[in-house]
Amino acid sequence: MSDGKRHWLCTVCVGKDELLKQENLVTVDGDAIKISSGPADEEGEKMPLAVPELKAVSEEPAAAQNAELEASSKAEQKDEKEEKSKGWVESDQKEKVEEKAPVAEPDVEKGLAQNEAPQRLSKQEQGATGAVAPLAPLATAVDREAERAKAAAAAVPLPAPAATAGSMKRKILACCGSCSMLVGIVLVILGFVLPPMFETMVIEGVYEAVVIDSLAEFQEDASSESFGDETFVIFNLTNARDLQLNGAKPKFELVRVTFNSKSVSFDASLNSDGSEITYSNWWNYTVVREQEELYETGQIVQINPQYFGAVYTKAGSETNVFADVASEVVASLQGLFLESLPSIMKVLAVRSYLDFMSTQSATFGGINMATQWGGIDQTSAGTLFVASGNNPQLQGFEVTTAAGAAALLSALPGNTLVAAQAELLWDPANAVALRSPTGIFAWYGLLQCLATSPSQADCFAAEQTGASLVAVLGAAAGNADLGQPAVLAVVQWLLVLTESPVYFALIKGSIAANFAPAADVQTWADFGALQFGTGMITTALNGGTEPSSVADLPGLPISAAPEISSYDSSISLSLSQSKAFLSQFSNYSVTVPWLTILGGLPDTTAQLGASLSTLASTGLTFARVASYGAFLAQYLPTNFFWPGQVHPGPMDPDGTYPSTNSGPFTRRTVKEIFTGWRDPLAPLFDPDYVYYGLFGEMYTDLEEQRRAMQGDNFRTSGVKTGQGWESDKAVLNSVGEITLSAGITEFTKRDELPDQKDECSEFWATFVLRDSETCLAWKDTTRIAGLKRFKRTPYLGDLTTSNYKEVVSEDDVKTVWIGGMMRPVKFNRLREDEVKGIRTEYHEMDISTLLDDCSVPDPNKETQECNAENEKYWMTWGDLIAPMERVSQGAPIALSTPYFLGPNNLTRDDLRSHFDWSLIPESAGPWDPLTMSNWMQVEPISGSSVDGAGASQINFAIRKSVHNTIFSEYFFSATGAQDLVIWPYALYYSKATIKDEDADTIKDSVYGNLDMIGMIRIALFIVGGVLIVLSIPACIVSCRS
């Protein structure tokens, strides 16, 4: 150690200066050895210790002393060997050997031989002088000085060097052992103290991450953009035509469409104490790029949601729809009988006029009335009017007398019709004759064309009526060029004649002669009204024979007789009654309430009695109530509204009608299925109605939605933030708790739901539900506030490195608010799982959610599974079917599992049998909860849902009591359903998985930190324990010395 180097532990035990002080303390002065103490005197001389001069002694005692010294040396060497064998100081001895060169130890026997008279202190002398012996620590210095002075002085036998080194080592070991034990104990204590502190920091970090501390944090968490996570599958009907015409079972194929979804929270605000946050939410869907063409141009054939929605919400049944449009149909009949038919009758009556004139031939000597009419005078007086002495009935008889006709006839020989032309037009057997049924309509058609076409030439173009008439008359004259002037001259004569009062009076008299009520007629419109009430005008015009209805007249696009007398032959209305009927029942405010009274019988009998007097002017009597009601609500809509406005024209091969693309079936683009369209029937039910498709009302951007809301809070939500948990950890139970959803906290009646104002007064409530609870949404008040969505409560127990892989959330059953179902739904914890390295708990929707309410026993099941609690959700259509009409504005929507499949024995084979699934292989099953149910994976420490999926099938409920006309009969005959068809429309799949970076955050900040804490604890215990164990032998050795 003279060079200052030493083992690091030695510094703790013996200071460097103290070691150095032990050097150069022994000097030889003649025969005496002087030992100096540490400090020097003022002159720098060492101060001698009180050691007397050593005297020589006899050899015998010296020999004994040498033997004793040798034995002592050997004993100490043996102790050192034992210590080395135990390995306690091996490393220390090795390090010392490496640290300094060994000092040559003097041979004790050799030293004794060289000193013939060795000097020793006897025990008595030691006791007398008080000298300190042995001087083992000074061995090294004494040896060096003895070597230099051995020739001049007798060597002094010193204590064995080995014995001196062992003592020093034992001191070092004792000191190091104490230090090791102290450090080990400290480390073990830290192993108990530090990890719990770190564990607390970790779980509090979790709480900090869960709690909503600021608006900025909330908006960052609540605003998200996820891509490709929303998939819709549309059921495309492939055989709509065969279904309607031949009763084929409906067959579907699937069209899958995937969307990018975006949602952003905005206008967020905290309440005064920061415990609640309120916000609005904007969302939008965009089809993925690779499906843009399919989205824009792809065609889907399906039932028409707007038609079915209107039937339910605006009428309650198809017959009520017809009642609703009855006034529209009557209004159209009013136009037919009071406007269109009079103009037709004016021309149709020409047949009767000419027939009457033909009887006048004898009066004038049997002249040819046809050629006289054509302008070729058969009397010496010229016209019949002059020849008769101005008989008013004969005024204007000849074509040449009509204003403007003479100029047209100037192109013909004699400025008259050619005789052959005139005779042809008087021949009842000729197809173009004015006296034939078809001929008179040909001339009426030409009159209509000339009155409406911008160019006269259009009416004489090829394949037009005018062209055929020109050809026939040109051929009759033997000159094609004479055809058109003749036709135009006849047209001019018809226009003048039909407006003549004389002509009207003659026709009136002619009809009254066969039908007395015609005597009251004052205008051509009266003829039309009387035709509606009796059907006799057309008959009278034909001399009391066919036709009895305007529908029998050739050329009119009427498929059924519109006269009430044709519907019920026992009814015959007077002129005034006919006009009152058309006037009163064309008024919506009259027709619909009265038909509503009829629909409510027998409960509305008193109201019915009152209506009889109000509507007496229409000819309504108690005996005619049923006929009036059926004529208005069924006969007219079925025969005029449906073919005239719903399905005019032929059916396309795909089963739709291209003229309107409306009615029960419609063909739409994929885009229209999702975003809506304007149906041509919609204005009939509600002029303001807008259909937004499967997506509902969706705004292009946030600002558009903000403008549209204008203070309406139907898209406003609120949640608990969890702030204040530091002082009360129980507050964490409420994190994510709903305080507001779509602007409400609870609801009982439908009127209280967003966008469903005045729902309690809708027709469907009266005509479909027909119960005392028509205004209820669910049977009990449903409270939304206090429920949670998929954000759960974090783990509130003690979290340690030893239990964090085993902790579970507190409840096996979690209740989640599902907005799409407008009800809370239970999710059961079924097993532990792992998602992206995160330990999770797999929760699946309790199938009891979709069990019927026990009111529908199934004879096909050995054991009945039901859920009486579902009575409040009106689940009376059997298992797996959840009616939604009461919370979806009356639309006949029902949710179900995909393809009506279910676990165990819940699959609805009865519903599946209604359809042909051959084009959908996956519909065969089996039931797979991962793709056909709703589930979530919850990380139990943070309570976060890190993975989840939802699947549901959107169906339309087609009730026979609602769709009760011949136009819906095929739904039941084709499917084999008795009273209810659950019609598949679309499937909805949604899956959300935690992002990789968020999963890494959980693994690093929670799992990683807890794993590190565990390793630190183990390291502290191991190192501390080793140090304590290593210190024990050193302490034992120290105690022995």
Side-chain angles (χ1 to χ4, degrees):
M1 287 288 192
S2 61
D3 59 356
K5 295 181 180 179
R6 60 201 182 280
H7 191 281
W8 68 274
L9 286 175
C10 296
T11 307
V12 179
C13 304
V14 181
K16 176 180 178 183
D17 294 340
E18 183 179 346
L19 291 176
L20 294 177
K21 289 176 184 178
Q22 297 179 26
E23 296 187 21
N24 302 320
L25 300 181
V26 180
T27 57
V28 179
D29 185 7
D31 295 334
I33 298 175
K34 296 182 179 179
I35 301 176
S36 301
S37 62
D41 58 12
E42 294 179 357
E43 286 76 18
E45 297 294 332
K46 303 271 185 195
M47 297 179 66
L49 296 173
V51 179
E53 182 179 348
L54 300 178
K55 303 291 185 177
V57 294
S58 63
E59 293 182 1
E60 291 181 1
Q65 290 177 357
N66 287 338
E68 182 181 350
L69 182 61
E70 183 176 0
S72 175
S73 175
K74 289 181 178 180
E76 290 188 6
Q77 291 176 3
K78 182 179 180 181
D79 289 342
E80 288 185 20
K81 290 179 179 180
E82 290 177 353
E83 290 177 6
K84 290 179 180 179
S85 67
K86 293 181 180 179
W88 302 114
V89 295
E90 182 178 352
S91 61
D92 186 62
Q93 293 297 331
K94 181 179 178 181
E95 200 166 337
K96 286 182 179 181
V97 171
E98 293 174 353
E99 203 164 290
K100 71 175 183 176
V103 177
E105 297 184 359
D107 191 326
V108 175
E109 294 183 356
K110 182 178 179 180
L112 292 175
Q114 291 177 350
N115 294 287
E116 295 179 356
Q119 306 293 317
R120 287 282 188 267
L121 291 172
S122 67
K123 293 181 179 180
Q124 293 81 1
E125 291 173 327
Q126 291 178 25
T129 60
V132 178
L135 302 176
L138 308 180
T140 305
V142 170
D143 289 344
R144 288 198 297 267
E145 292 298 323
E147 286 293 322
R148 289 194 296 268
K150 63 182 178 180
V156 180
L158 300 174
T164 302
S167 177
M168 176 61 69
K169 292 170 184 175
R170 284 193 295 274
K171 288 184 177 181
I172 293 173
L173 286 174
C175 184
C176 293
S178 300
C179 292
S180 297
M181 180 169 288
L182 177 61
V183 172
I185 292 172
V186 171
L187 292 179
V188 170
I189 292 173
L190 291 177
F192 283 104
V193 175
L194 289 182
M197 295 172 58
F198 293 152
E199 290 165 350
T200 300
M201 293 171 62
V202 170
I203 190 61
E204 288 185 353
V206 171
Y207 297 157
E208 287 289 352
V210 169
V211 170
I212 303 170
D213 290 326
S214 66
L215 291 177
E217 177 187 347
F218 168 77
Q219 289 174 326
E220 180 180 355
D221 292 342
S223 302
S224 64
E225 293 188 8
S226 52
F227 300 95
D229 61 344
E230 308 284 340
T231 299
F232 286 85
V233 180
I234 307 301
F235 288 89
N236 183 35
L237 183 63
T238 62
N239 63 339
R241 182 183 178 90
D242 199 17
L243 182 155
Q244 295 173 78
L245 299 181
N246 305 313
K249 189 172 291 189
K251 180 187 290 188
F252 301 104
E253 65 181 4
L254 300 183
V255 178
R256 297 179 182 272
V257 189
T258 303
F259 295 89
N260 297 331
S261 63
K262 298 179 182 180
S263 65
V264 176
S265 63
F266 65 97
D267 292 346
S269 62
L270 284 167
N271 64 351
S272 58
D273 61 1
S275 62
E276 298 178 16
I277 192 166
T278 303
Y279 62 97
S280 296
N281 198 54
W282 169 83
W283 48 265
N284 194 275
Y285 288 96
T286 306
V287 69
V288 294
R289 184 182 301 275
E290 55 270 24
Q291 290 189 310
E292 288 179 351
E293 183 176 357
L294 169 67
Y295 185 66
E296 295 289 343
T297 63
Q299 300 290 311
I300 300 290
V301 175
Q302 253 291 1
I303 62 174
N304 186 351
Q306 294 194 59
Y307 173 78
F308 280 85
V311 168
Y312 270 71
T313 61
K314 302 303 178 184
S317 70
E318 279 184 340
T319 54
N320 288 333
V321 168
F322 290 170
D324 203 40
V325 300
S327 61
E328 297 277 346
V329 178
V330 174
S332 67
L333 294 183
Q334 188 178 29
L336 170 65
F337 285 103
L338 301 185
E339 296 175 19
S340 300
L341 186 59
S343 66
I344 296 173
M345 283 184 171
K346 288 179 182 180
V347 179
L348 296 183
V350 169
R351 290 177 59 201
S352 298
Y353 173 79
L354 295 180
D355 288 343
F356 170 77
M357 288 300 176
S358 67
T359 64
Q360 302 299 311
S361 175
T363 305
F364 296 97
I367 63 174
N368 186 333
M369 296 296 291
T371 56
Q372 177 68 28
W373 169 79
I376 304 173
D377 294 336
Q378 302 293 309
T379 66
S380 59
T383 65
L384 293 182
F385 175 73
V386 175
S388 66
N390 298 330
N391 184 347
Q393 289 185 332
L394 301 178
Q395 186 177 10
F397 169 70
E398 292 82 3
V399 173
T400 54
T401 61
L408 295 169
L409 291 173
S410 63
L412 278 76
N415 296 324
T416 65
L417 290 176
V418 176
Q421 292 175 328
E423 291 177 349
L424 181 150
L425 293 176
W426 272 64
D427 183 2
N430 193 290
V432 299
L434 293 171
R435 294 180 65 189
S436 72
T438 56
I440 193 62
F441 265 97
W443 287 97
Y444 172 75
L446 179 58
L447 289 172
Q448 289 295 104
C449 180
L450 292 172
T452 58
S453 295
S455 172
Q456 187 183 84
D458 294 339
C459 300
F460 294 95
E463 299 182 1
Q464 295 296 319
T465 301
S468 62
L469 291 174
V470 166
V472 170
L473 292 184
N479 185 345
D481 293 337
L482 301 180
Q484 185 162 339
V487 169
L488 291 175
V490 173
V491 166
Q492 194 64 27
W493 175 79
L494 287 171
L495 292 174
V496 173
L497 176 71
T498 55
E499 295 299 324
S500 168
V502 174
Y503 171 74
F504 174 78
L506 190 151
I507 297 300
K508 175 182 174 180
S510 175
I511 295 175
N514 296 294
F515 181 60
D520 296 330
V521 169
Q522 300 300 317
T523 64
W524 288 106
D526 288 348
F527 276 124
L530 201 55
Q531 173 65 26
F532 169 76
T534 65
M536 293 300 296
I537 303 303
T538 53
T539 303
L541 287 174
N542 284 278
T545 60
E546 297 285 345
S548 61
S549 170
V550 294
D552 299 325
L553 297 175
L556 286 183
I558 300 176
S559 59
E563 296 89 351
I564 191 171
S565 57
S566 297
Y567 172 73
D568 186 342
S569 59
S570 68
I571 297 177
S572 180
L573 303 181
S574 67
L575 176 59
S576 62
Q577 290 173 337
S578 299
K579 294 169 71 174
F581 188 105
L582 293 173
S583 175
Q584 290 274 30
F585 288 113
S586 64
N587 188 333
Y588 180 91
S589 62
V590 173
T591 305
V592 174
W594 185 75
L595 292 175
T596 301
I597 292 173
L598 292 186
L601 291 176
D603 298 332
T604 55
T605 302
Q607 292 173 281
L608 177 62
S611 71
L612 294 180
S613 60
T614 304
L615 297 173
S617 62
T618 66
L620 177 63
T621 64
F622 189 80
R624 291 176 174 177
V625 165
S627 291
Y628 270 45
F631 177 72
L632 290 168
Q634 296 178 25
Y635 180 78
L636 291 182
T638 299
N639 290 283
F640 297 95
F641 164 71
W642 198 268
Q645 298 189 53
V646 181
H647 286 166
M651 179 191 293
D652 265 5
D654 62 9
T656 62
Y657 288 81
S659 53
T660 60
N661 197 14
S662 186
F665 292 100
T666 186
R667 179 180 62 250
R668 295 292 165 182
T669 65
V670 174
K671 181 178 181 179
E672 287 176 322
I673 294 292
F674 288 100
T675 61
W677 68 92
R678 184 67 169 169
D679 193 277
L681 293 182
L684 295 176
F685 302 106
D686 184 353
D688 300 323
Y689 178 71
V690 180
Y691 176 64
Y692 295 105
L694 284 175
F695 284 157
E697 190 171 9
M698 186 170 63
Y699 299 97
T700 305
D701 54 43
L702 187 152
E703 289 303 321
E704 181 186 4
Q705 178 173 324
R706 181 181 279 121
R707 290 191 299 269
M709 289 174 64
Q710 294 182 347
D712 194 341
N713 64 348
F714 72 96
R715 286 196 177 180
T716 302
S717 300
V719 293
K720 292 278 191 180
T721 64
Q723 290 194 37
W725 67 270
E726 296 91 344
S727 58
D728 181 7
K729 194 161 47 168
V731 173
L732 292 169
N733 284 308
S734 67
V735 173
E737 213 170 75
I738 299 172
T739 60
L740 194 66
S741 178
I744 60 175
T745 59
E746 64 180 20
F747 62 90
T748 303
K749 297 182 178 181
R750 295 196 314 278
D751 283 358
E752 298 166 357
L753 293 171
D755 293 339
Q756 298 201 39
K757 305 304 180 186
D758 303 322
E759 286 296 301
C760 296
S761 60
E762 291 288 359
F763 271 27
W764 80 279
T766 304
F767 288 96
V768 177
L769 302 181
R770 297 193 178 203
D771 56 35
S772 60
E773 301 169 322
T774 54
C775 196
L776 293 179
W778 305 133
K779 288 189 177 182
D780 291 337
T781 296
T782 300
R783 183 159 180 80
I784 306 173
L787 295 173
K788 290 193 175 186
R789 294 186 175 91
F790 291 98
K791 184 74 173 178
R792 311 311 303 171
T793 300
Y795 179 71
L796 300 182
D798 294 330
L799 187 68
T800 66
T801 56
S802 59
N803 75 352
Y804 82 91
K805 293 183 179 180
E806 288 82 29
V807 298
V808 296
S809 51
E810 295 181 0
D811 45 358
D812 292 333
V813 180
K814 300 185 185 300
T815 302
V816 177
W817 172 254
I818 305 294
M821 297 183 71
M822 290 301 288
R823 58 179 286 192
V825 174
K826 293 179 180 179
F827 282 73
N828 297 326
R829 178 170 55 203
L830 300 184
R831 62 177 181 269
E832 286 194 1
D833 210 336
E834 184 176 294
V835 176
K836 294 186 177 182
I838 300 173
R839 188 174 68 88
T840 61
E841 297 172 347
Y842 174 82
H843 293 74
E844 190 174 294
M845 186 178 75
D846 194 327
I847 198 62
S848 67
T849 303
L850 294 178
L851 294 178
D852 65 53
D853 65 351
C854 302
S855 67
V856 199
D858 187 347
N860 299 318
K861 293 182 182 178
E862 296 181 2
T863 59
Q864 295 295 319
E865 295 184 68
C866 61
N867 181 4
E869 292 184 2
N870 281 339
E871 179 187 6
K872 63 184 175 185
Y873 301 118
W874 314 94
M875 293 188 63
T876 60
W877 292 345
D879 296 335
L880 308 184
I881 306 299
M884 301 298 295
E885 58 190 359
R886 289 178 179 262
V887 291
S888 59
Q889 297 180 308
I893 295 174
L895 300 180
S896 73
T897 55
Y899 316 118
F900 308 117
L901 294 172
N904 306 324
N905 64 339
L906 294 180
T907 293
R908 291 294 301 273
D909 291 327
D910 57 331
L911 300 182
R912 289 171 55 79
S913 67
H914 296 162
F915 307 97
D916 183 342
W917 304 92
S918 59
L919 299 179
I920 311 175
E922 57 266 45
S923 67
W927 165 261
D928 180 8
L930 292 181
T931 59
M932 298 181 179
S933 184
N934 297 277
W935 54 269
M936 61 181 178
Q937 298 269 27
V938 178
E939 195 283 309
I941 297 176
S942 65
S944 300
S945 295
V946 299
D947 195 14
S952 62
Q953 182 169 300
I954 303 168
N955 311 279
F956 279 87
I958 305 176
R959 290 169 164 162
K960 196 166 189 176
S961 60
V962 174
H963 296 276
N964 51 4
T965 68
I966 60 173
F967 302 107
S968 296
E969 176 57 36
Y970 48 74
F971 283 112
F972 304 95
S973 61
T975 61
Q978 296 297 316
D979 303 308
L980 177 68
V981 178
I982 304 297
W983 184 279
Y985 188 79
L987 288 168
Y988 170 67
Y989 293 104
S990 175
K991 189 171 190 311
T993 304
I994 190 171
K995 296 179 182 178
D996 291 341
E997 54 267 31
D998 293 334
D1000 292 339
T1001 299
I1002 292 179
K1003 289 186 288 186
D1004 294 342
S1005 61
V1006 181
Y1007 298 172
N1009 286 341
L1010 289 172
D1011 286 339
M1012 183 177 295
I1013 293 170
M1015 290 188 291
I1016 291 173
R1017 168 179 279 154
I1018 293 172
L1020 290 173
F1021 284 155
I1022 290 176
V1023 175
V1026 168
L1027 290 176
I1028 291 173
V1029 171
L1030 289 177
S1031 69
I1032 293 174
C1035 292
I1036 293 174
V1037 172
S1038 176
C1039 291
R1040 286 178 56 189
S1041 65

